[in-house]
């Protein structure tokens, strides 16, 4: 089937019942979770993931993708009204959104955010649909060595881009791979690290690991700080019309920010927490009055929001193509894809193209819903920022445990949720990359299968990874990523000594 | 060197982090040793992953004894100061407006520590006797500990009971059956 044919069929699916209901529900729930500082869409997806097992896989992913998009927009509500971004993706929005709010223009700022998010997201998703046939051609040329190298490259990129020490990131990535090896081996048939306990025969499932690392860790963190989220009263006044015209009058800012968001989103490990600041910086650089940024410049809100929304589409590129998540939420989304039997790679763009395009169309429709929902509920948005976390924490913890148990109904999964929750708390506290660990756990089986196949093809020779041009490129890229910063530091030191 | 070592011993945050890394080091070393007993194909990834984990965690534990150039190279932005600053996720909330003072409940106990211990007790009890009655108790204790009014404690406890009941009856997840119930065929619980 042609791309256009697949796209039309996908549109028919998304626009009919029940898919459209799941899109609306996903956007609404994601927006609510995103607007509550400290919660976010990843926790919601992680908890609902096991419950979606009864659902049709395609519909479940449509729902989760919509939640992801909604969460991205929701983060701006708290950023604008109480100067506390609901998510890091909306951090740059606070810089001008909150000053606008203080000037009595909160409605303008919320409208700017909703419309810029919607248009930015639409632009990005249209580009993603346009480039997907080229992406398919690239993916079709991939074999086992390339897929193994993608896993290695993805882990390297994430550990380097994620903040903190590279050695710590690699350690956690390797530890994640190690966790994934527990249980019956798919490649050799051996039962590994079962300690004679029957529960461990089937291994450690990645869903309870995700739930522990995202939901439980976040609850422990929230329980460590004061419960009342907002004591700051902010009047929700201003004009929706001015907000809409504010975006419409600045098409270049929206377009440029969308492209930045799309591009950065496609880099594993970067995500919206980076793109919103890059787009904000670019808007400031390009403005005639850069000093007005930080004091309520509308372009500041537009650029940050268009970029973070466009990042959603961008982050789907490595997730769907190579199984490399670009952020925490896409890591959970990748877990959802695998749980529902979708294997990232060329199949998603060939045999299952209609399903994949339905995710894209859901994002298109979701962006329109954000615009409508954003404008409709602006007056009530403030309530979301006043929820006390003490009422959320004791509910989320049992939900997370039940969700973990629901997958296989074994005691091991409850223990996994709690243990990884505790581990995640200390990892965050001491700056160890959670995404690197998640990536190791999720990619472990894929990496092992492809490593095994590659070595079978090459009769046990590791040279296979440098004999294929694409995998050779990835080997070079991995080496450059790992040793580049070290070489740069050495060079700078040498130059410093030289000039001295 | 001795000064550095003393400093590392007196710093609570480094001590806590050392326990975390120490556990990972011991675990991965044991896994590396055990990996030798698997077949060739089955041992490849466990060997690679456990060797990398053990090696890197060993380096982390020994970082105070590494030459400063090597330490700077391996751990360039290492600022383990006990602050919750690991931001590598889009959904991570930012730190600008976080309260400096940690949240405490009764007896001035750290909120995160209390929640962690309570969660472990909750999961253990739930596994033993089932979550149907333990969940409302967990929620009520949490609310009571953080000084919420009695009606909030009761209302949230009831909400917990309803949620658990929904999971048992609608989603058909047998969280009401603890190990004791299963072991005794439902006689004791």
């Amino acid at each position: 089937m042609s791309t256009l044919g697949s796209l039309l069929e996908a549109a028919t699916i998304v626009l009919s019942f029940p898919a459209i209901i799941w899109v609306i529900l996903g956007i609404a729930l994601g927006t609510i979770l995103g607007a509550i500082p400290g919660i976010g869409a990843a926790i919601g997806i992680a908890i609902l993931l096991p419950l979606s097992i009864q659902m049709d896989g395609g519909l479940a992913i449509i729902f989760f993708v919509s939640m992801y998009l909604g969460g991205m927009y929701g983060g701006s509500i708290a950023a604008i009204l109480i100067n506390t971004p609901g998510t890091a993706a909306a951090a740059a929005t606070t810089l001008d959104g909150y000053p606008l709010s203080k000037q009595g223009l909160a409605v303008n700022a919320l409208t700017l955010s909703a419309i810029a998010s919607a248009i930015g997201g639409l632009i990005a998703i249209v580009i993603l649909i346009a480039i997907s046939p080229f992406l398919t051609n690239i993916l079709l040329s991939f074999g086992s060595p390339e897929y193994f190298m993608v896993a290695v490259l993805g882990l390297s990129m994430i550990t380097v881009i994620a903040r903190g020490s590279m050695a710590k990131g690699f350690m956690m990535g390797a530890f994640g791979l190690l966790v994934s090896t527990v249980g019956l081996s798919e490649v050799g048939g051996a039962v590994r690290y079962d300690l004679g306990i029957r529960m461990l025969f089937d291994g450690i499932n990645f869903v309870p690991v995700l739930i522990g690392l995202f939901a439980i860790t976040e609850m422990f963190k929230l329980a460590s700080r004061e419960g009342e989220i907002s004591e700051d009263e902010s009047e929700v006044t201003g004009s929706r019309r001015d907000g809409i015209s504010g975006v419409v009058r600045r098409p270049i800012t929206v377009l440029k920010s969308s492209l930045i968001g799309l591009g950065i989103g496609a880099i594993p490990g970067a995500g919206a927490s980076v793109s919103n600041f890059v787009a904000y910086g670019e808007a400031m650089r390009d403005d005639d009055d850069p000093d007005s940024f930080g004091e309520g410049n509308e372009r500041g809100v537009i650029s940050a929001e268009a970029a973070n929304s466009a990042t959603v589409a961008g982050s789907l590129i490595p997730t769907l193509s190579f199984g490399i998540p670009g952020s925490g939420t896409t890591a959970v989304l990748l877990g959802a894809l695998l749980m529902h039997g979708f294997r990232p790679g060329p199949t998603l763009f060939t045999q299952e193209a209609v399903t994949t395009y339905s995710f894209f169309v859901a994002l298109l429709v979701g962006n329109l819903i954000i615009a409508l929902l954003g404008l409709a509920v602006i007056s009530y948005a403030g309530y979301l920022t006043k929820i006390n976390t003490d009422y959320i924490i004791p509910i989320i913890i049992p939900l997370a445990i039940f969700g973990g148990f629901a997958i296989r109904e074994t005691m091991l999964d409850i223990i996994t949720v709690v243990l990884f929750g505790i581990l995640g708390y200390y990892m965050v506290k001491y700056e160890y990359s959670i995404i690197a660990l998640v990536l190791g756990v999720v990619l472990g089986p894929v990496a092992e299968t492809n490593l095994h196949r590659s070595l079978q093809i090459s009769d046990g020779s590791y040279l296979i990874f440098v004999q294929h041009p694409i995998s050779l490129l990835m080997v070079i890229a991995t080496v450059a990523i790992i040793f580049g910063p070290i070489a740069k530091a050495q060079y700078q030191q040498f130059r410093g000594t030289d000039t001295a | 060197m001795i000064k550095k070592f003393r400093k590392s011993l007196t710093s609570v945050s480094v001590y806590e982090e050392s326990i975390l890394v120490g556990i990972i080091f011991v675990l991965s070393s044991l896994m590396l040793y055990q990996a030798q007993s698997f077949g060739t194909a089955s041992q490849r990834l466990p060997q690679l992953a456990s060797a990398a984990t053990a090696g890197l965690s060993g380096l982390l534990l020994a970082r105070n004894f590494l030459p400063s150039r090597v330490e700077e190279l391996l751990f360039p932005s290492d600022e383990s100061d006990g602050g919750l600053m690991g931001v590598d996720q889009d959904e991570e909330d930012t730190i600008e407006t976080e309260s400096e003072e940690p949240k405490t409940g009764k007896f001035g106990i750290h909120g995160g520590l209390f929640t962690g211990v309570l969660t472990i007790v909750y999961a253990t009890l739930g596994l033993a006797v089932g979550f149907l009655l333990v969940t409302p108790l967990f929620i009520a204790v949490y609310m009571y500990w953080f000084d919420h009014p009695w009606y909030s404690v009761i209302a949230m406890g009831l909400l917990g009971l309803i949620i658990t009941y929904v999971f048992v009856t609608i989603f058909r997840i047998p969280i009401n059956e603890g190990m004791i119930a299963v072991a005794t065929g439902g006689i004791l619980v």
Side-chain angles (χ1 to χ4, degrees):
Chain A
M1 195 185 285
S2 68
T3 305
L4 193 65
S6 304
L7 198 58
L8 286 173
E9 201 176 323
T12 316
I13 293 170
V14 175
L15 293 172
S16 57
F17 181 83
I20 188 72
I21 301 294
W22 288 112
V23 176
I24 296 168
L25 270 176
I27 294 287
L29 189 59
T31 305
I32 292 169
L33 294 174
I36 304 170
I39 304 294
I43 293 177
I45 299 174
I47 290 172
L48 293 174
L49 188 55
L51 301 181
S52 74
I53 208 159
Q54 306 288 342
M55 282 175 76
D56 171 81
L59 285 180
I61 305 299
I62 285 175
F63 174 60
F64 292 140
V65 163
S66 306
M67 264 183 86
Y68 177 24
L69 186 66
M72 204 60 94
Y73 162 66
S76 70
I77 295 173
I80 290 167
L81 294 179
I82 58 168
N83 202 24
T84 304
T87 62
T93 312
T94 55
L95 302 175
D96 285 284
Y98 187 63
L100 279 170
S101 214
K102 280 284 176 199
Q103 292 163 25
L105 298 171
V107 171
N108 297 43
L110 288 167
T111 308
L112 286 168
S113 157
I115 303 297
S117 291
I119 299 176
L122 281 172
I123 292 170
I125 201 73
V126 167
I127 295 172
L128 175 60
I129 291 170
I131 62 168
S132 60
F134 304 104
L135 209 59
T136 314
N137 287 336
I138 297 170
L139 290 174
L140 284 171
S141 62
F142 274 40
S144 288
E146 284 78 14
Y147 274 108
F148 174 71
M149 279 316 299
V150 160
V152 175
L153 182 64
L155 267 169
S156 320
M157 284 182 88
I158 280 169
T159 49
V160 171
I161 296 169
R163 219 171 70 174
S165 151
M166 198 164 78
K168 284 179 170 182
F170 275 122
M171 185 189 89
M172 279 304 165
F175 185 58
L177 285 174
L178 194 54
V179 169
S180 78
T181 64
V182 175
L184 183 68
S185 163
E186 276 182 33
V187 296
V191 182
R192 302 180 294 204
Y193 309 121
D194 69 330
L195 307 172
I197 301 167
R198 203 168 158 265
M199 283 188 300
L200 285 168
F201 183 86
D202 289 329
I204 295 172
N205 190 290
F206 64 84
V207 177
V209 174
L210 288 176
I211 294 175
L213 287 174
F214 286 98
I216 299 284
T217 295
E218 210 60 37
M219 291 310 105
F220 289 168
K221 273 174 62 190
L222 279 179
S224 304
R225 48 178 121 116
E226 283 305 324
E228 198 69 50
I229 285 174
S230 167
E231 288 164 4
D232 196 355
E233 292 293 334
S234 188
E235 293 245 342
V236 184
T237 55
S239 155
R240 285 181 177 85
R241 189 183 292 174
D242 290 348
I244 295 170
S245 73
V247 180
V248 174
R249 280 186 286 114
R250 297 176 176 93
I252 303 295
T253 305
V254 178
L255 180 67
K256 222 194 277 180
S257 306
S258 310
L259 293 175
I260 290 171
L262 182 71
I264 292 178
I267 304 169
S273 48
V274 177
S275 70
N276 74 124
F277 276 108
V278 174
Y280 182 86
E282 172 54 24
M284 194 167 139
R285 187 198 62 77
D286 191 41
D287 201 272
D288 294 333
D289 182 16
D291 291 339
S292 66
F293 276 72
E295 290 171 12
N297 189 318
E298 291 186 344
R299 283 186 74 187
V301 178
I302 294 168
S303 57
E305 284 304 304
N308 70 26
S309 194
T311 308
V312 174
S315 67
L316 287 183
I317 297 174
T319 309
L320 297 177
S321 315
F322 309 113
I324 307 290
S327 65
T329 316
T330 38
V332 187
L333 202 60
L334 175 65
L337 282 166
L338 294 173
M339 200 187 86
H340 284 283
F342 298 111
R343 284 260 163 233
T347 324
L348 273 184
F349 293 88
T350 49
Q351 285 108 301
E352 295 181 78
V354 175
T355 313
T356 307
Y357 281 121
S358 71
F359 308 154
F360 299 164
V361 176
L363 284 180
L364 269 174
V365 177
N367 278 302
L368 296 174
I369 294 169
I370 281 180
L372 297 172
L373 189 83
L375 294 178
V377 301
I378 275 174
S379 317
Y380 310 102
Y383 293 115
L384 294 175
T385 61
K386 302 201 183 301
I387 297 171
N388 189 331
T389 46
D390 273 351
Y391 290 90
I392 298 172
I393 297 165
I395 297 295
I396 297 272
I397 290 174
L399 283 178
I401 287 176
F402 300 166
F405 183 73
I407 290 282
R408 302 186 296 183
E409 295 181 7
T410 75
M411 211 170 93
L412 175 69
D413 291 342
I414 293 179
I415 298 168
T416 306
V417 169
V418 177
L419 280 182
F420 275 86
I422 296 167
L423 175 68
Y425 175 80
Y426 284 103
M427 281 175 65
V428 172
K429 191 171 178 182
Y430 295 110
E431 296 195 300
Y432 289 82
S433 171
I434 279 188
I435 300 188
L437 176 62
V438 167
L439 203 60
V441 176
V442 172
L443 288 182
V446 181
E448 185 169 30
T449 311
N450 284 301
L451 173 66
H452 179 68
R453 273 190 209 146
S454 305
L455 294 178
Q456 267 185 330
I457 296 166
S458 68
D459 242 354
S461 166
Y462 283 87
L463 285 175
I464 191 170
F465 298 110
V466 291
Q467 283 166 345
H468 294 225
I470 299 175
S471 70
L472 173 64
L473 267 177
M474 286 193 272
V475 169
I476 295 169
T478 307
V479 171
I481 285 169
I482 297 170
F483 295 104
I486 298 171
K488 193 180 162 193
Q490 292 293 318
Y491 177 71
Q492 278 172 343
Q493 202 171 23
F494 170 74
R495 283 285 300 267
T497 322
D498 201 31
T499 48
Chain B
M1 180 78 85
I2 292 167
K3 258 186 189 174
K4 262 177 128 180
F5 181 65
R6 275 193 187 144
K7 194 182 156 197
S8 75
L9 282 181
T10 50
S11 166
V12 176
S13 62
V14 172
Y15 176 68
E16 252 182 15
E17 189 183 358
S18 300
I19 292 176
L20 171 75
V21 182
I23 291 171
I24 292 173
F25 176 72
V26 172
L27 210 61
S28 54
S29 301
L30 287 172
M31 288 170 101
L32 177 61
Y33 174 74
Q34 215 188 337
Q36 318 306 320
S37 61
F38 309 140
T40 318
S42 298
Q43 71 175 204
R44 208 173 279 132
L45 189 69
Q47 247 176 3
L48 278 172
S50 56
T53 312
L56 288 164
S57 54
L59 273 175
L60 259 164
L61 286 171
R63 72 184 140 180
N64 284 340
F65 306 101
L66 295 173
S68 53
R69 266 186 69 189
V70 179
E71 190 189 355
E72 183 56 33
L73 216 61
L74 286 170
F75 313 106
S77 57
D78 198 5
E79 292 159 0
S80 299
D81 56 359
L84 295 171
M85 294 176 69
V87 184
D88 61 357
Q89 311 158 34
D90 288 345
E91 70 290 338
E92 191 79 51
D93 53 325
T94 51
I95 50 161
E96 305 158 36
T97 50
E98 270 178 28
S99 165
E100 288 298 315
E101 286 292 310
K103 177 178 166 178
T104 52
K106 293 196 187 299
F107 313 117
I109 293 173
H110 187 276
L113 175 69
F114 170 75
T115 311
V117 172
L118 186 65
T119 303
I120 293 169
V121 173
Y122 165 61
T124 312
L125 275 177
L127 283 169
V129 298
F131 286 94
L132 190 63
L133 295 175
V134 178
T135 301
L137 201 64
F138 162 76
I139 296 175
V141 170
Y142 182 92
M143 297 299 287
Y144 171 75
W145 189 268
F146 289 108
D147 294 326
H148 286 278
W150 63 268
Y151 50 86
S152 289
V153 174
I154 293 173
M156 289 291 286
L158 281 174
L159 181 64
L161 185 67
I162 293 166
I163 290 171
T164 318
Y165 188 71
V166 165
F167 268 80
V168 175
T169 55
I170 296 177
F171 296 122
R172 298 196 179 282
I173 300 166
I175 42 176
N176 54 332
E177 293 169 6
M179 276 182 348
I180 296 174
V182 173
T184 58
I187 297 165
L188 282 180
V189 181

